[in-house]
């Protein structure tokens, strides 16, 4: 049986080994898809898209530009920001809902492009919450002393799985990638930078509220599934909307409680960028004013698990949080899966 003394020592040691941010980076395709262009593709309007979602434009991959390309570009920028060579990366955790292939993982393909040949690499599948899941997993592995650093990437080519004849989904999503290199040794208990707390939760009973019915092992792609457009994302927008607000509110409160903080202690909230109305409802319920809310959905749309690391990189680059300030990040998406993290920068 583990003695109390041993437990205390181990907890203290763990408190000095939290993941902390050593560098961040983002990558988005050059091609901009505007609301005006979408007006010509489906029965929609710039006014509807802006008022119902907050999106003005999104980035879309060029032919031949893939998830691993975006991931490697974002990852490379995070490594440069940290001053770390690819060969010194220990672990790559990559979240995506749009893997380039079903086998092998996109993390493996990204590792090769990066030249991080010494690292272990694997994918995480938790839709829009995937990057926060990746961060929580990496933090645990760093604390367990399995690795010294971890490159956590969220990369999505949503344009590959979106039906551009379906106006209820095609206006919402965009492509992009964001990355953070986590180092171990964030001594948060003594005021150092790093992860103060993480939270993850899932409700698989609602899997079909947001899913791609065909293209996996249960319903392989055939000419019939393709003609019925079953390989593309289907979602029950209104139900997902309501659940997103409630789940991110609850998860935010849980993670704040774990960190021993209240919302007033947070300098900036970085919510998943799915819909401006979801973000505003969440902010109202949490009691967060516009000044403490990071929003970039107007420029990128919903980039699924890339949305939070893209935002985090912009926040760091624009010095929107003072040194030692804290951010609350929270996300929700297909699964249904959601999660949050509190990070001292
Ligand atoms: N342009 C014009 N009209 C449209 C469009 C469009 N692009 N899309 C839908 N409409 C119409 C509908 O057909 C409907 O018309 P009707 O009343 O005649 O039937 C009307 O607008 C209202 O439709 P709703 O679905 O009720 O619209 P809502 O206000 O709920 O907005 C939206 C839809 C934007 C999808 C919203 O529900 C939403 O954002 N949901 C959550 C999305 C989300 O967060 N997903 C999770 C993350 S994604 C991931 O995990 C990969």
């Amino acid at each position: 049986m583990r003695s109390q003394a041993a437990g205390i020592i181990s907890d203290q040691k763990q408190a000095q080994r939290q993941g902390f941010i050593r560098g961040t980076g983002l990558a988005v395709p050059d091609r901009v898809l505007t609301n005006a262009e979408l007006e010509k593709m489906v029965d929609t309007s710039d006014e509807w898209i802006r008022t119902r979602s907050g999106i003005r434009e999104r980035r879309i991959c060029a032919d031949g530009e893939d998830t691993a390309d975006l991931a490697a570009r974002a990852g490379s920028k995070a490594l440069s920001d940290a001053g770390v060579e690819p060969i010194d990366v220990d672990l790559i955790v990559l979240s995506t809902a749009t893997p380039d292939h079903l086998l092998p993982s996109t993390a493996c393909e990204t590792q090769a492009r990066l030249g991080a040949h010494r690292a272990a690499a694997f994918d995480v599948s938790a839709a829009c919450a995937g990057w926060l899941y990746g961060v929580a997993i990496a933090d645990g592995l760093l604390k367990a002393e399995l690795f010294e650093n971890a490159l956590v990437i969220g990369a999505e080519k949503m344009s590959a799985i979106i039906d551009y004849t379906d106006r209820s989904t095609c206006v919402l999503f965009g492509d992009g990638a964001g990355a953070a290199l986590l180092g171990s040794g964030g001594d948060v208990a003594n005021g150092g930078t790093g992860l103060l707390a993480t939270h993850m939760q899932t409700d698989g009973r609602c899997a079909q509220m947001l899913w791609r019915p065909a293209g996996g092992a249960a319903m392989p792609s055939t000419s019939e599934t393709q003609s019925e457009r079953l390989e593309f994302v289907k979602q029950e927008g209104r139900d997902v909307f309501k659940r997103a607000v409630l789940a991110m509110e609850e998860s935010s409160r849980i993670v704040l409680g774990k960190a021993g903080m209240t919302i007033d202690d947070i300098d900036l909230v970085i919510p998943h960028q799915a819909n401006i109305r979801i973000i505003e409802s969440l902010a109202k319920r949490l009691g967060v004013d516009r000044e403490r809310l990071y929003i970039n959905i107007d420029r990128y749309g919903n980039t699924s698990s890339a949305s939070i690391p893209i935002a985090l990189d912009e926040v760091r680059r624009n010095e929107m949080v003072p040194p030692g300030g804290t951010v609350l990040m929270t996300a929700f998406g297909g699964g249904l899966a959601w999660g949050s993290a509190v990070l001292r920068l």
Side-chain angles (χ1 to χ4, degrees):
M1 208 173 87
R2 198 169 84 149
S3 77
Q4 203 183 9
I8 290 165
I9 290 163
S10 136
D11 288 348
Q12 282 171 349
K13 206 171 167 194
Q14 279 211 342
Q16 293 164 358
R17 289 194 57 85
Q18 253 89 17
F20 72 103
I21 302 278
R22 293 184 63 184
T24 56
L26 76 83
V28 290
D30 291 335
R31 162 88 165 96
V32 176
L33 179 63
T34 63
N35 291 350
E37 287 173 274
L38 284 162
E39 281 179 351
K40 293 179 194 141
M41 295 160 65
V42 288
D43 181 15
T44 190
S45 67
D46 171 53
E47 206 260 333
W48 192 97
I49 301 171
R50 273 190 294 101
T51 54
R52 305 309 290 167
S53 73
I55 302 167
R56 289 175 184 276
E57 59 186 41
R58 68 289 291 144
R59 301 300 181 98
I60 300 293
C61 282
D63 285 348
E65 191 175 26
D66 293 327
T67 302
D69 296 323
L70 295 174
R73 275 165 52 205
S76 176
K77 286 184 186 171
L79 294 182
S80 298
D81 187 35
V84 169
E85 295 298 324
I87 200 67
D88 293 323
V89 174
D90 291 341
L91 173 68
I92 298 171
V93 182
L94 187 143
S95 65
T96 189
T98 57
D100 287 331
H101 303 99
L102 295 180
L103 187 71
S105 71
T106 303
C108 297
E109 303 194 50
T110 302
Q111 176 199 28
R113 283 168 171 77
L114 279 170
H117 305 309
R118 219 179 38 80
F122 61 88
D123 280 5
V124 169
S125 174
C128 298
W131 188 78
L132 287 180
Y133 274 48
V135 164
I137 293 165
D139 185 45
L141 294 173
L142 293 174
K143 280 190 224 160
E145 302 187 30
L146 268 71
F147 302 97
E148 287 296 318
N149 64 50
L151 183 61
V152 187
I153 307 174
E156 307 283 6
K157 182 178 171 180
M158 295 302 288
S159 60
I161 61 167
I162 294 300
D163 181 354
Y164 284 95
T165 66
D166 174 8
R167 69 175 184 176
S168 70
T169 51
C170 75
V171 302
L172 300 174
F173 295 95
D175 301 338
L181 183 74
L182 296 185
S184 69
D187 189 3
V188 293
N190 294 308
T193 61
L195 285 156
L196 292 154
T198 58
H199 172 251
M200 297 182 275
Q201 203 171 328
T202 307
D203 188 348
R205 292 169 298 182
C206 305
Q208 296 183 3
M209 267 187 198
L210 177 42
W211 71 323
R212 295 171 61 199
M219 191 188 288
S221 194
T222 61
S223 51
E224 283 77 32
T225 62
Q226 283 173 23
S227 69
E228 289 174 41
R229 309 189 79 76
L230 296 178
E231 280 78 5
F232 295 116
V233 170
K234 317 279 177 205
Q235 76 167 342
E236 294 169 26
R238 270 184 224 183
D239 283 339
V240 173
F241 186 112
K242 286 184 219 145
R243 285 170 191 270
V245 174
L246 297 177
M248 285 194 286
E249 181 196 1
E250 188 186 59
S251 177
S252 297
R253 294 194 190 285
I254 290 171
V255 83
L256 285 168
K258 286 171 84 173
M261 301 174 109
T262 73
I263 193 69
D264 296 335
D265 299 316
I266 297 294
D267 291 286
L268 193 70
V269 177
I270 303 179
H272 170 48
Q273 310 284 311
N275 185 317
I276 189 70
R277 293 182 295 133
I278 292 177
I279 294 172
E280 286 169 349
S281 302
L282 172 69
K284 196 169 165 197
R285 296 176 79 97
L286 287 174
V288 173
D289 51 24
R290 179 66 187 83
E291 287 66 50
R292 285 197 298 151
L293 204 52
Y294 192 72
I295 297 173
N296 64 9
I297 190 171
D298 51 322
R299 290 179 282 129
Y300 301 126
N302 181 348
T303 57
S304 188
S305 75
S307 109
I308 289 189
I310 286 174
L312 181 64
D313 183 59
E314 292 185 339
V315 164
R316 286 183 77 245
R317 219 151 289 285
N318 297 320
E319 298 178 355
M320 297 178 68
V321 174
T326 49
V327 294
L328 165 66
M329 303 176 282
T330 185
F332 178 94
L336 300 171
W338 60 97
S340 303
V342 177
L343 173 70
R344 190 182 292 134
L345 283 172

